[in-house]
Amino acid sequence: MPERESSNFAWKKIKPGMCKSCGQEPYNTRLESLFCSGDCFRDAVDNAPGLIEYPEDHPIYKRVSSLFTKSWLHPSVSPKKVKAIYMIVLTSDLHSSYMDYLNEVEYREDFESQGSPKGNESERWHGTTRECLIGDHSNTQFCQSSDCSLCGILQDSYSLDFYQGKTGWGRFGRGIYTTGTSSKADTYSVNNNSSKWKAVILNKVVVGNGASVTLNLPKLTAPPPGYDSVLGEPMKTGHLNYDECVVYNNDALRPEYLIMYK
């Protein structure tokens, strides 16, 4: 894997409340944006990949922080406090391939007519290994270590090429794993550094038609016929204590927000 670059947004020092691209106009909180216009958002995408930190009074910060706390379900681990939240800005190519996949699933299943989001899109958590101090105290510099899974995902999204890279196996086979439970993602968040903060990612996931399963299926390389994903459901008679959502296509999910907590 080639060495990675630093965040393209590290050079921007913007006054509070101002557009994170031009810095000249207030950002549009009504649309829960960090930008004042579509042109400024496109300018940010042109400079992707990168991270942009949300202020604590921003609607996205409040919503994501609340979701993190509400979805912390492990009774044996005290809920953690959110320290920072960042927008993950990906390239236009990554956005386009995700939208192509979402539209393909929606065309086939027509979820919107059933009152569900397009593609049955959902937000799910993911924890991984962090070798560096990205996310700590407004640090948006990507590290250059090929062992830093977090920096890899923040820049290039997810890839099935790294399946089993850290955990050594998959309960539902060769897929990309997320969960609706923030405390479950926390168990996979590993610091190989001196930081007292930890990191998880909140992702956009095209769940589509999910196959509900309760027992391990480690030989899967795709969802069962007629399905787009696998939904691991916790049950007393099953193998899971907390939910999992597994997709088998790189374009079925994208990292949306980086959450730092302690």
Side-chain angles (χ1 to χ4, degrees), residues 18-258:
M18 304 303 285
C19 173
K20 299 301 181 181
S21 184
C22 70
Q24 302 300 311
E25 299 289 338
Y27 53 67
N28 193 332
T29 55
R30 182 176 61 83
L31 297 179
E32 298 189 347
S33 176
L34 285 172
F35 307 101
C36 64
S37 67
D39 286 342
C40 278
F41 171 73
R42 286 185 287 274
D43 177 66
V45 172
D46 287 343
N47 283 284
L51 297 176
I52 304 177
E53 187 170 5
Y54 284 98
E56 291 187 14
D57 62 351
H58 194 278
I60 292 292
Y61 187 104
K62 294 178 180 178
R63 181 182 71 80
V64 173
S65 179
S66 175
L67 180 61
F68 177 84
T69 301
K70 290 179 179 178
S71 62
W72 189 281
L73 303 180
H74 283 55
S76 60
V77 183
S78 299
K80 308 302 181 184
K81 179 175 175 55
V82 171
K83 306 298 289 185
I85 297 175
Y86 298 85
M87 176 186 183
I88 302 169
V89 185
L90 297 173
T91 64
S92 58
D93 285 347
L94 286 172
H95 175 72
S96 294
S97 57
Y98 174 78
M99 292 304 300
D100 287 346
Y101 180 79
L102 183 148
N103 289 328
E104 174 190 327
V105 172
E106 175 61 22
Y107 179 78
R108 187 172 64 244
E109 306 287 350
D110 196 16
F111 288 101
E112 286 189 309
S113 70
Q114 305 167 48
S116 297
K118 179 182 291 188
N120 199 19
E121 186 182 48
S122 177
E123 288 184 313
R124 307 272 175 150
W125 305 98
H126 180 87
T128 191
T129 301
R130 181 172 63 131
E131 297 283 334
C132 62
L133 298 178
I134 194 165
D136 279 25
H137 306 285
S138 300
N139 176 24
T140 60
Q141 294 284 333
F142 298 127
C143 75
Q144 297 183 350
S145 171
S146 60
D147 293 324
C148 188
S149 298
L150 181 60
C151 280
I153 293 168
L154 296 178
Q155 294 177 90
D156 302 318
S157 191
Y158 296 87
S159 173
L160 286 163
D161 291 341
F162 299 103
Y163 167 67
Q164 289 189 332
K166 301 296 180 181
T167 61
W169 83 296
R171 187 184 303 276
F172 301 115
R174 185 178 183 270
I176 303 170
Y177 289 69
T178 58
T179 175
T181 305
S182 58
S183 52
K184 181 178 178 70
D186 169 70
T187 64
Y188 293 94
S189 176
V190 177
N191 279 341
N192 289 334
N193 54 51
S194 59
S195 178
K196 294 183 180 179
W197 291 14
K198 295 184 72 177
V200 293
I201 300 169
L202 186 61
N203 307 274
K204 298 183 295 185
V205 184
V206 181
V207 178
N209 187 16
S212 296
V213 297
T214 60
L215 303 177
N216 296 342
L217 296 169
K219 295 184 179 180
L220 286 179
T221 58
Y227 293 93
D228 304 298
S229 63
V230 165
L231 300 176
E233 305 286 358
M235 292 184 63
K236 290 183 179 180
T237 57
H239 290 161
L240 286 88
N241 293 319
Y242 300 94
D243 71 283
E244 291 184 354
C245 175
V246 189
V247 295
Y248 301 83
N249 185 313
N250 291 342
D251 291 326
L253 78 170
R254 289 291 183 263
E256 188 175 21
Y257 305 112
L258 172 65

